[in-house]
Amino acid sequence: MNKYAMLIDPSKCIGCNLCVEACEKAHGGLAPASYYTWIIDLKGYAGLSYAPVHCLHCEDPPCVKACPSGAMRKLENGAVIVDHELCIGCSFCISSCPFNRIHYDPESRLVYKCDLCYERIGGGKKPACVEACPYEAKLFGDYEEMLKIGKERAEKLKGGLLVYPGETVVLYVLTRDQLNLLKAEYVLEEAYPSRSRSLMDLMKYSRIGVAVLFAGSIIYFVNWRKKRMSKISEGEG
């Protein structure tokens, strides 16, 4: 299966919200479109008027590690999805997400996030938001191809950066000032916040440790009880 990527160039975004409308239509109104993708108004600072925002689809997603029900999954094509039939609404994934891209819907008691339109791309189509964008603020295709285009665009910018190659499926092309602006808006960080992964790994191993301790306690109690009952039957109790 091909691995895909989405390249976002906020300098080309005009804030038309066609991507948001296309997303809402593609997902059949399962939740407000802002749960999947949205546009923030940057008022022209650092040369940016608007910026598209949605899940970055991490290569090693903390939300998948945090999910106790197996509802969060990483697909081979790069998409991180939530299976609503398995979701129990615990919100552990929300607290684990380093970018605050997962949302809880109190009405359905489920979590929602961008799923990279994995069903569409499985049928050879592009994600709805990419297809609807009239100015190519979003591009979609083979991961290596998007990586190449992203690096080329970044090189043409003064102090251009590609965020976060090798770490996420969704990549941003930005100048240093633009990255700082999106950092101030809590959209991105300087580098991928790997502390989220470390925390999830720690929680995972902690749960395993607790399970081992609990199992060990049961075994100890069973063995102690057997010895105790044996002594009692022998008249030593």
Side-chain angles (χ1 to χ4, degrees), residues 35-81:
Y35 281 6
Y36 293 91
T37 184
W38 61 100
I39 303 293
I40 57 173
D41 186 350
L42 299 171
K43 307 184 186 307
Y45 294 119
L48 291 182
S49 296
Y50 304 94
V53 181
H54 55 72
C55 174
L56 295 176
H57 298 274
C58 301
E59 292 286 8
D60 181 19
C63 60
V64 173
K65 295 180 178 179
C67 180
S69 68
M72 284 285 178
R73 290 187 289 133
K74 174 77 173 178
L75 304 183
E76 290 182 9
N77 60 17
V80 178
I81 67 169

Side-chain angles (χ1 to χ4, degrees), residues 1-5 57-61 64 72-81 115-119 121-122 140-144 168-169:
M1 181 178 290
N2 290 341
K3 180 182 174 182
Y4 299 99
H57 298 274
C58 301
E59 292 286 8
D60 181 19
V64 173
M72 284 285 178
R73 290 187 289 133
K74 174 77 173 178
L75 304 183
E76 290 182 9
N77 60 17
V80 178
I81 67 169
D115 59 8
L116 206 64
C117 286
Y118 71 98
E119 291 183 342
I121 64 178
F140 182 83
D142 177 78
Y143 188 90
E144 293 301 324
T168 61
V169 169

Side-chain angles (χ1 to χ4, degrees), residues 5-13 42 46-48 50-52 56 136-139 145-165 168-180 182 187-188:
M6 181 184 295
L7 182 64
I8 297 179
D9 187 346
S11 66
K12 296 182 179 295
C13 181
L42 299 171
L48 291 182
Y50 304 94
L56 295 176
E136 295 190 336
K138 293 182 178 182
L139 298 177
E145 181 185 358
M146 292 298 104
L147 199 61
K148 179 182 178 182
I149 294 174
K151 289 179 179 178
E152 289 174 351
R153 288 196 179 187
E155 288 175 0
K156 293 178 181 179
L157 297 173
K158 185 177 181 180
L161 300 167
L162 184 62
V163 189
Y164 307 97
T168 61
V169 169
V170 176
L171 310 170
Y172 279 77
V173 179
L174 301 162
T175 65
R176 172 67 62 180
D177 289 341
Q178 291 169 350
L179 175 58
N180 289 335
L182 292 181
V187 174
L188 298 173

Side-chain angles (χ1 to χ4, degrees), residues 16 39 99 113 142 179 198 202 219 224:
C16 64
I39 303 293
F99 302 105
K113 63 179 289 299
D142 177 78
L179 175 58
S198 300
L202 179 61
I219 294 171
W224 175 86

Side-chain angles (χ1 to χ4, degrees), residues 216-233:
S217 298
I218 292 176
I219 294 171
Y220 173 81
F221 176 75
V222 170
N223 288 333
W224 175 86
R225 188 175 184 279
K226 287 172 69 176
K227 291 180 181 179
R228 180 63 176 164
M229 293 303 292
S230 177
K231 287 183 179 180
I232 290 175
S233 65

